[in-house]
Amino acid sequence: FTSLCCCAFYAMVISGCSRKQADFAKLRRLEGCWLMHACEKGDIVEQWIWVNDSLLKGKGMRVSGADTSITEYLEIQWSGKDIFYVPAVADQNDGKPVFFKLTAFSDDGYQFENPNHDFPSRIDYQLKGNDSLTVTISGNIKNEFREIDFKFRKINAN
């Protein structure tokens, strides 16, 4: 009986690891450069690079004419048993990274949450086909629920 329990436990651990690895691998669809034509302040770009089977690195940028400024550094990382979306914005949270845990996913969508963060407390990535991405940030600002959509188009493969 003891060896049967050990085998069952081992199988659960192995299947849990491979499941998370399979979930993380789905995030590779984000790899590349995504553009959102924005207002007079310039366009918004998210660029993602697949580093390895547990790390996707990115950056958010604002592009206005020939000027490009980085607005945030991004990571999606598989750490232990969880997957996290980790932005670091220079003028927010003292420039320190904030961790949002993956709470829901599908082949085309990923939902990350941090209920202790002021705004946003939730970040959703929704892919449509191979070249359309909507990022929705949501949460409360001054006790009022807010939701902001960013609609991107893929402009190249990396």
Side-chain angles (χ1 to χ4, degrees), residues 87 92-93 96-100 113-123 138-140:
Q92 296 176 14
N93 306 302
K96 295 178 183 162
V98 177
F99 287 74
F100 293 81
E113 294 185 80
N114 180 339
N116 298 318
H117 190 255
D118 53 2
F119 184 86
S121 56
R122 182 171 146 181
I123 301 169
S138 58
N140 289 314

Side-chain angles (χ1 to χ4, degrees), residues 26 40 46 49 57 65 68 71 75-77 79 85-86 95 100 103 114 121 123 137 145 152:
K26 291 176 185 177
E40 66 280 350
E46 264 194 25
I49 298 169
K57 280 193 164 201
T68 300
T71 56
E75 286 188 359
I76 300 177
Q77 55 185 244
S79 179
Y85 176 88
V86 188
F100 293 81
T103 55
N114 180 339
S121 56
I123 301 169
I137 60 173
F145 181 78
F152 294 92

